[in-house]
Every structure is written in structure tokens, then in C-alpha cells.
Amino acid sequence: MEFAEQIRAQGKSVFEAAIEAAELRLRPILMTSFAFILGVLPLYFATGAGAIGRRSVGTTVVGGMLVSTVLNLVFIPVLYVLVKSALEFLGRKKKPTGPAEFPAKL
């Protein structure tokens, strides 16, 4: 989520950055995924000799691309918000520590 990191640098919250980055990436993700799926449709609708093998490959690829597109559009922004929020929360809880103190020599 490089776009989200750039938006965060502008001072927006983690949630706002994830939403805006997801909106920016929606069209390119959908266009790339659907172009690939349309390119594989001849395998999905194969007929003739070897059609069963081609259909199984086409079905797997089309299904995998549909699932990966949904995960890319939904899961990645949610995961970004969860991980980034957790890291910021943990970063605030840590107290700065100085050099380790050693007992004085007698």
C-alpha cells in the first residue's frame, strides 16, 4: 500500500489513507484483472479435442483471478489498517530507554 504511505505522509489518518488509496487503485486493479480473465475465457469455454483439460485450467485461472481480485480490493486495505494501527499503538506504548545501567564498581 505504497499509495497509503504517501497519503499518510500528508497527515491523514490510517483509515483515511487506506480508503483513499483503495479508491485510487480500484480502476487499475479491476481493469488488469478483467483483462486477464477475458484473455483466459477461451480456455474456460474450450471445445473439441483436449477440451476437458483446457476447461479445468480455464476454470481454475478464472476462479483464482476472481478471488484474488476480491481479496486485493477488500482484504489488503483492511489488513493495512489493522497492521499499521497495531504498530502505531505499540510504538506509543514503548518508553524510550537510555543506555543500560551497570552497577558501579566497588
Side-chain angles (χ1 to χ4, degrees):
M1 298 276 309
E2 183 64 30
F3 285 103
E5 288 298 319
Q6 292 173 1
I7 295 167
R8 285 281 290 147
Q10 297 172 359
K12 293 195 178 182
S13 72
V14 174
F15 185 75
E16 291 170 338
I19 294 295
E20 192 171 330
E23 289 172 356
L24 286 172
R25 295 293 303 150
L26 176 67
R27 183 172 177 254
I29 289 170
L30 288 178
M31 287 181 66
T32 304
S33 298
F34 288 136
F36 186 80
I37 290 170
L38 288 173
V40 177
L41 283 182
L43 287 174
Y44 186 79
F45 294 112
T47 59
I52 294 173
R54 290 189 194 110
R55 281 187 198 157
S56 64
V57 170
T59 302
T60 304
V61 172
V62 169
M65 282 302 296
L66 289 172
V67 169
S68 87
T69 301
V70 170
L71 288 176
N72 202 2
L73 293 175
V74 177
F75 183 70
I76 291 175
V78 170
L79 187 63
Y80 173 80
V81 170
L82 291 174
V83 170
K84 194 69 169 176
S85 298
L87 288 175
E88 287 181 3
F89 179 74
L90 292 174
R92 271 187 266 141
K93 289 197 115 186
K94 290 183 180 176
K95 295 180 182 177
T97 57
E101 295 182 24
F102 295 102
K105 292 185 179 178
L106 297 176

